[in-house]
Amino acid sequence: MQSEIETAARKNLARVLETDVAPQDIDLDEDMVGRYGLTSLNKVLFLMSACDDAGVDLSSFTEPDVAAMSTLRDVTEALSRHAGKVA
């Protein structure tokens, strides 16, 4: 069963991809750039939307944190660590 964060992340990633991929068809462990063609601009847009949906402040992440998020699992785990924290 998917968590709310994973569901939101899948939806937001699918929305910014240039290829037509259904949210449920995105592999959590595939490289988002290599497999799905995620551009750096679309990664920022995706993370902004995913953070909004998860209630996580984007400023919770440093540039190296964002750079290390290469798979959807990386993103959902990072969001889960920060969800519910009050800045």
Side-chain angles (χ1 to χ4, degrees), residues 2 6 9-15 17 21-30 32 36 72:
Q2 289 181 14
E6 181 182 329
R10 285 176 178 277
K11 174 191 71 165
N12 285 300
L13 179 57
R15 184 180 305 141
L17 293 177
V21 179
Q24 67 272 15
D25 294 335
I26 296 172
D27 187 323
L28 282 172
D29 297 309
E30 286 286 342
M32 294 182 293
Y36 300 109
L72 189 59

Side-chain angles (χ1 to χ4, degrees), residues 5 8-13 15-16 42-56 58 75 79:
I5 288 176
R10 285 176 178 277
K11 174 191 71 165
N12 285 300
L13 179 57
R15 184 180 305 141
V16 301
N42 284 347
K43 184 176 186 178
V44 171
L45 296 173
F46 156 59
L47 289 174
M48 288 173 57
S49 296
C51 283
D52 283 347
D53 286 353
V56 174
L58 185 58
V75 174
L79 290 171

Side-chain angles (χ1 to χ4, degrees), residues 4-5 8 18-19 21-22 27 31 35 38-39 50-51 54-55 63 65 67 72-73 76 80 82-83:
E4 289 180 35
I5 288 176
E18 295 179 9
T19 57
V21 179
D27 187 323
D31 182 84
R35 174 70 172 93
L38 185 68
T39 65
C51 283
E63 188 175 336
D65 291 336
L72 189 59
R73 186 177 309 278
T76 58
S80 294
H82 292 280

